[in-house]
Each structure stands twice: as structure tokens, then as C-alpha cells.
Amino acid sequence: MALHHAAVTVGTSATLLATIPEKSPYTAVLLFNDDNSAIFVGDSSVATSGANLGVKISKSTTTTQIWLNAGDSLYAISAAGTAANAVSVLYSSTF
């Protein structure tokens, strides 16, 4: 297994957070938003409002867990932009 971790800067356009490799099992992705601005997560069309509104993740002292299937990619966007490397991502993969 390989452990993947990254500190990501999320801005006002969709930013890739994680991609689960093909043939991987159902995978939990842990997200931690350490910025005062909320982020919204979803697919590559994620938005901060409207029809493509993503799941909101506010600044918190705990992680948010999102489950993804093999081949899925998770993106995030912020209405205000975030500070450099404010969103932390952690997940494990078998490939």
C-alpha cells in the first residue's frame, strides 16, 4: 500500500485534491481545511453556488472523510481563495 498526503492550495477554480487509481478498493480520503474560508468539494465541475454546488467543508479542528471509488477524482474550490497549503489531504492506495 502507498500512503498519499499533500498540502494543497485551493483557489477560485477547481483544484485536484486526489485521484484513486483504477482497481483500488473503496477508499476513504481525509480532508482538513485549516483556512478561514470554506472549500467546496466535488467533481471537476464543482462550484461554490448554483447547480454544481459542492459539499461545503468549513475550517475545523477535525478531518472530513469522503469515500471514493476506483478511478474517482476529487476536486475543491473556494469562493474566497485559501492560504497556501491550507487544505491537507491523506489517503492510502494499493497501487
Side-chain angles (χ1 to χ4, degrees):
M1 281 196 178
L3 187 64
H4 303 274
H5 58 90
V8 182
T9 301
V10 175
T12 55
S13 59
T15 302
L16 181 65
L17 297 180
T19 297
I20 306 304
E22 293 292 336
K23 300 182 183 179
S24 292
Y26 199 45
T27 303
V29 177
L30 299 177
L31 303 170
F32 181 79
N33 182 10
D34 194 32
D35 192 74
N36 290 326
S37 301
I39 62 168
F40 298 82
V41 297
D43 66 12
S44 61
S45 67
V46 67
T48 58
S49 64
N52 292 324
L53 176 66
V55 174
K56 183 178 180 179
I57 300 176
S58 298
K59 180 175 181 160
S60 179
T61 58
T62 61
T63 58
T64 299
Q65 181 174 296
I66 306 243
W67 287 88
L68 299 177
N69 288 308
D72 286 347
S73 293
L74 183 66
Y75 290 81
I77 191 170
S78 172
T82 64
N85 302 322
V87 178
S88 298
V89 181
L90 175 70
Y91 64 99
S92 180
S93 71
T94 55
F95 299 97

